[in-house]
């Protein structure tokens, strides 16, 4: 059974051959990679001029000019009028100058003094006389600014209207009515045999119209129709000292059982 024997030998030679193959292959790949890398650098340098490159320029910010502040304008100070002339708020003619006719006449006296004859007068913000007046040009009038005019005051307002008078009492008003409707007899009152006198308190305005009415006595079933009839009554206006006034009084209605 041991006719064919296989003699095992060492694997040293096989491992040495495989190691040499791997080393050579690694060197070949390394050389090729290095060659491609160097070739890529040369190719990039050769085509550098044809590439579209964008040049970015850094620009310093533009300084914003400061706004010039507006110069403060000096407010015009009122100039003081020389003291050698008269100053008037308005030019008012003297009553002795009959040749100047005023536009309107007022019963209220003016608080502004009139223009003095023979003194130069100007219009200003206040009324004052000159310390050393000088004669003005032209006929001795002394007016150099604006025409002469008369101060015109507003007419007094009309007197206020008299206050409204309180209503006066007229008592029983049945005989004073120019129109006094008769109230109907209610069916419910007829059924209940209600009867008697109903007294209605009324207020009449200045035109003779009833503006308020309410029953003060009488059967409850008859008060409603009595008040409604009172609102339809009309009276002549009542005057006191020539002024129409309101009147208060009563209207009586007699109901007979049916």
């Amino acid at each position: 059974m041991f006719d064919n024997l296989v003699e095992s030998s060492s694997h040293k030679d096989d491992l040495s051959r495989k190691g040499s193959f791997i080393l050579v292959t690694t060197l070949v790949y390394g050389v090729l990679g290095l060659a491609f890398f160097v070739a890529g650098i040369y190719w990039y340098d050769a085509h550098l001029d044809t590439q579209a490159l964008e040049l970015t320029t850094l620009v310093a910010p533009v300084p914003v000019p400061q706004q010039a502040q507006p110069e403060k304008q000096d407010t015009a100070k009122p100039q003081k009028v020389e003291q050698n002339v008269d100053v008037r708020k308005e030019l008012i003619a003297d009553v002795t100058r009959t040749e100047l006719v005023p536009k309107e006449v007022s019963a209220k006296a003016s608080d502004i003094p009139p223009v003095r004859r023979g003194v130069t007068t100007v219009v200003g913000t206040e009324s004052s006389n000159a310390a050393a007046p000088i004669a003005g040009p032209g006929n001795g009038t002394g007016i150099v600014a604006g025409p002469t005019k008369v101060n015109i005051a507003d007419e007094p307002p009309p007197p206020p209207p008299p206050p409204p008078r309180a209503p006066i009492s007229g008592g029983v008003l049945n005989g004073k009515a120019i129109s006094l409707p008769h109230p109907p007899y209610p069916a419910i009152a007829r059924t209940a045999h209600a009867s008697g006198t109903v007294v209605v308190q009324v207020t009449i305005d200045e035109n003779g119209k009833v503006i308020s009415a309410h029953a003060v006595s009488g059967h409850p079933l008859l008060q409603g129709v009595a008040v409604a009839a009172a609102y339809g009554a009309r009276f002549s206006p009542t005057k006191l000292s020539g002024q129409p006034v309101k009147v208060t009084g009563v209207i009586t209605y007699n109901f007979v059982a049916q």
Side-chain angles (χ1 to χ4, degrees), residues 22 57 63 132:
I22 292 173
T57 304

Side-chain angles (χ1 to χ4, degrees), residues 1-209:
M1 54 185 291
F2 299 99
D3 292 338
N4 297 322
L5 297 175
V6 178
E7 183 179 358
S8 61
S9 60
S10 175
H11 296 283
K12 183 178 180 180
D13 296 337
D14 187 29
L15 294 175
S16 177
R17 185 174 62 253
K18 292 181 179 180
S20 300
F21 177 75
I22 292 173
L23 180 61
V24 173
T25 302
T26 302
L27 291 175
V28 171
Y29 278 106
V31 172
L32 291 176
L34 181 62
F36 279 114
F37 178 75
V38 175
I41 293 175
Y42 281 103
W43 180 85
Y44 180 79
D45 292 340
H47 294 80
L48 185 62
D49 297 336
T50 61
Q51 295 182 3
L53 300 178
E54 181 179 358
L55 179 62
T56 303
T57 304
L58 298 178
V59 181
V62 179
V64 180
Q66 296 181 357
Q67 297 181 356
Q69 297 182 355
E71 298 180 357
K72 295 183 178 179
Q73 298 181 358
D74 296 335
T75 56
K77 298 181 178 179
Q79 298 180 357
K80 186 177 181 180
V81 182
E82 297 180 359
Q83 294 300 321
N84 57 355
V85 296
D86 287 352
V87 181
R88 297 289 187 270
K89 294 181 180 179
E90 294 183 1
L91 298 180
I92 302 176
D94 193 355
V95 294
T96 60
R97 300 186 59 186
T98 58
E99 71 277 6
L100 298 178
V101 180
K103 296 181 180 179
E104 296 182 10
V105 179
S106 175
K108 182 181 178 181
S110 175
D111 56 351
I112 302 176
V115 177
R116 297 190 295 173
R117 185 183 296 272
V119 180
T120 303
T121 306
V122 297
V123 178
T125 58
E126 59 183 6
S127 299
S128 61
N129 293 332
I134 59 176
N139 299 328
T141 59
I143 302 174
V144 298
T148 304
K149 62 179 181 179
V150 177
N151 187 26
I152 302 172
D154 296 336
E155 295 184 359
R165 298 178 181 271
I168 62 176
S169 176
V172 179
L173 304 175
N174 291 59
K176 301 177 183 180
I178 59 177
S179 176
L180 187 62
H182 294 282
Y185 200 93
I188 187 173
R190 185 183 299 109
T191 304
H193 300 285
S195 62
T197 301
V198 178
V199 180
V200 180
Q201 180 77 33
V202 297
T203 301
I204 305 171
D205 63 3
E206 293 83 349
N207 298 322
K209 181 181 178 181

Side-chain angles (χ1 to χ4, degrees), residues 213-256:
H214 63 278
V216 295
S217 66
H219 199 283
L221 297 178
L222 302 174
Q223 291 182 2
V225 293
V227 171
Y231 272 109
R234 292 294 181 269
F235 299 84
S236 298
T238 302
K239 294 185 178 180
L240 183 63
S241 300
Q243 296 291 333
V245 294
K246 295 180 180 180
V247 179
T248 60
V250 295
I251 302 176
T252 59
Y253 296 96
N254 295 320
F255 292 88
V256 178

